[in-house]
Structure formats: structure tokens, C-alpha cells
Amino acid sequence: MRTILNAVRDQFPTTPCAILSDRTEAEEAVGAVSFGFQAFISTTTPLAVVHQALAFIMNGGAYFPREALLEIADGRDRTRHHSGSATGNGLLTPRQNQVLDRLRSGKSNKLIARELDMQESTVKVHVRQIMSKLGATNRTQVAIMALMKGDLAAGGPEPAMA
């Protein structure tokens, strides 16, 4: 299956792509993100939601089931609670981690700038740097990766996998 997904992404690198699946596990949605897809849609998703999700990704957005994201977040919180406060891998600066925390919550650049008392353009630079360091192609991938891996800041808790 990985070969097929990689071939699709390679064949259509700039086209928004979605995975339509009979599976509903959070790991499947996370897999879609890791392959660079913009959406994971279960066949149990109501048709009206499917139409909205497809319209959204065609306009540059991303769609992943709320339940999958919550399951990832719940698993991460449990893992982080048990992992203690080991030294992090130093991937992100403390300021980038502050931005990441707010991205994880789905906040806009404007709101992040207001909360962190910085310019919106500075937030955009941090977001691009975070995306680059994590190998993400969009904000949604960053948020999901953050939920999966826990705190990625220097000196923060060790990354946890859901």
C-alpha cells in the first residue's frame, strides 16, 4: 500500500489529494498526513461533510476526522504524563515551541501574534521554520505531528508517540 500511496504523491505532487477509506482508526489518518495527503475521509462520513471536506482541500485546506485528532491527542497526553520530563531532542527553539503550542490548538497567525506579542510576519517565519524542521507541507500536518510527537522544544519533554 505504501508503494501505491507514494506513487500517487509522486505522480501528482501539487494536486490536493485525499484518502477515502473503509478504516476509521486514528493511525490511518496519521498515515495520510505522513504521505502528504490533504485529507482522510472514512466511508462512514456523511455525504454533506465529504462535499465540504473536498471543497475545502481544493481551496488549500485539509480535513482529518475530529475523532482521529482527539484520539491522537489523548494518547499523547497519557504517554507524556508517564514519560516524565526527559531532555528533548532540541529540534525547535523555545519561541518556536510557543508558536507550535498555539498551532496545535488551531489558532490563526494573527491570534498567535497577539498572544505572543509579536508581529504576524514573525509568526509566519516561525511557522515556515517549524514546517521545514518537521518536514511538513502545511499547518495541519504540523499540528498533527505535534499531537503525535508531544513537545518538540529544546529542553522540553521527550517526544512521545501516540
Side-chain angles (χ1 to χ4, degrees), residues 63-96:
Y63 173 83
F64 295 91
R66 179 178 171 268
E67 296 79 15
L69 299 177
L70 290 173
E71 186 174 322
I72 294 166
D74 288 346
R76 188 200 98 231
D77 288 343
R78 282 192 300 274
T79 305
R80 286 180 71 188
H81 182 283
H82 295 301
S83 68
S85 59
T87 303
N89 62 9
L91 185 62
L92 301 179
T93 67
R95 196 64 160 170
Q96 288 170 345

Side-chain angles (χ1 to χ4, degrees), residues 36-59:
F37 286 80
Q38 285 70 35
F40 180 86
I41 302 170
S42 168
T43 54
T44 61
T45 304
L47 190 54
V49 174
V50 172
H51 285 186
Q52 291 174 348
L54 292 175
F56 190 60
I57 69 163
M58 292 306 293
N59 287 307

